[in-house]
Amino acid sequence: MSESTNTRALRIVALGGGGGSAQVLLGTRPFFAERTAIIAVTDSGRSTGTARMIANIPAPGDLRNLLATLAADPDAVLPRLMQHRLRSSAVPLLDGMAVGNLMIGGLTQMAGDIAAAVELARQMLGCPEQILPVSTANTHLCAELVDGRIVVAEAAVRALGKPAIRRLFLDPPAAAYPPAITAITNADVVVIGPGSFYTSLLATLCFEGIVTALRETSATVVFVCNTTTQPGQTDGMSIADHVTRLVDVLGPGVLDVTLINDTTELHPAVVARYSAAGLHPLVFTETDRQAIRALGVEPLVRHLAESDPGYRELWNKADTIRHDPQVLGLALWKIALDRGKP
């Protein structure tokens, strides 16, 4: 631990989707003075996809969720309105639409791009974190499957019952938002995950400049592995498989640490409930440990999962075992202290 790490303000960047990045940033508020989210913009699901079509914008859904969660008062009217989903049998296109998606669409048209729109929303909500889209480009996530087929748009990439994903790409190709590159460059810790492995985490790495920034930054790069597999994305993958795929994208020597949840703490009833929905807890094994260390990455196994909250109804997505923000934040702070910049 360097003296400078003790005395200067720590900076953390969370890279991924709206849910996982919220857990990281909420948990690190007591420990990191500067907190930045770099958020995926390629979702094409029902509400977000409709908003993209209406306003001709990058995907607003993950940004909306993060803005509402990180608001100065998440229970105030405006953040709750952003998360509210319209009910409209008369206009099926808008049935289930999150009001915040339309708000971001309107702000984008007013301000000129989605980054400016998000900054306006951040100020209105009083979010203390910096929130950045990974790109201002309106592009789509595509994938080549192991059987050679190409699937187009994020909803198809995560669709159930298809062969495994071989590689991801954007159509059209797009560059990252320059302030996102700057944030990665200046960070002490960059956190990838937790979140949808292909459609949020690896999707952000598809934008030109992000992987290069991760390779060049002096920050400690941490992967927070998901607690379970994800139907349509990581079925049958082990923890080591996740890390291997991430290292394949980043290149050797970039990823420093993988934070892994200790599944021995999970109640059997919780495991059974999620397994019945096709989300199987990722169990860390000695084989995983050896494989991850062979990649030059340090595996850290901790009890990171939240207490069982019971079943949660999510819009158009499967629930999962989430990380406890406070425990996760503490673990990331310790990593920052132990591996601080000189």
Side-chain angles (χ1 to χ4, degrees), residues 132-317:
L132 307 173
V134 67
S135 178
T136 58
N138 189 10
T139 185
H140 282 284
L141 185 68
C142 306
E144 179 188 1
L145 307 181
V146 293
D147 64 356
R149 280 188 293 152
I150 300 294
V151 291
V152 176
E154 180 266 352
V157 172
R158 60 178 165 85
L160 303 179
K162 67 180 187 312
I165 298 166
R166 176 177 291 156
R167 67 180 180 94
L168 297 175
F169 61 97
L170 300 175
D171 185 22
Y177 182 45
I181 301 297
T182 301
I184 292 171
T185 301
N186 294 336
D188 294 284
V189 177
V190 178
V191 184
I192 303 172
S196 298
F197 186 67
Y198 281 98
T199 58
S200 290
L201 309 189
L202 297 189
T204 60
L205 303 183
C206 290
F207 289 88
E208 181 183 350
I210 294 293
V211 168
T212 298
L214 288 167
R215 290 171 179 171
E216 294 178 352
T217 184
S218 60
T220 299
V221 180
V222 181
F223 169 49
V224 180
C225 189
N226 290 331
T227 59
T228 68
T229 59
Q230 296 168 293
Q233 295 196 55
T234 59
D235 303 283
M237 288 177 63
S238 67
I239 293 172
D241 291 336
H242 285 71
V243 179
T244 299
R245 179 56 64 95
L246 183 55
V247 170
D248 285 344
V249 173
L250 294 176
V254 178
L255 183 63
D256 298 301
V257 177
T258 297
L259 267 176
I260 300 160
N261 181 56
D262 181 1
T263 55
T264 62
E265 299 286 340
L266 295 175
H267 192 282
V270 175
V271 173
R273 185 174 77 240
Y274 284 100
S275 295
L279 290 85
H280 302 285
L282 286 164
V283 179
F284 186 68
T285 66
E286 186 58 34
T287 300
D288 289 316
R289 187 189 308 276
Q290 293 176 11
I292 292 169
R293 284 183 169 163
L295 293 168
V297 180
E298 180 183 359
L300 295 179
V301 183
R302 304 285 186 269
H303 175 47
L304 299 170
E306 66 178 358
S307 299
D308 181 25
Y311 178 75
R312 288 172 292 216
E313 184 68 38
L314 301 182
W315 181 259
N316 213 27
K317 289 187 178 179

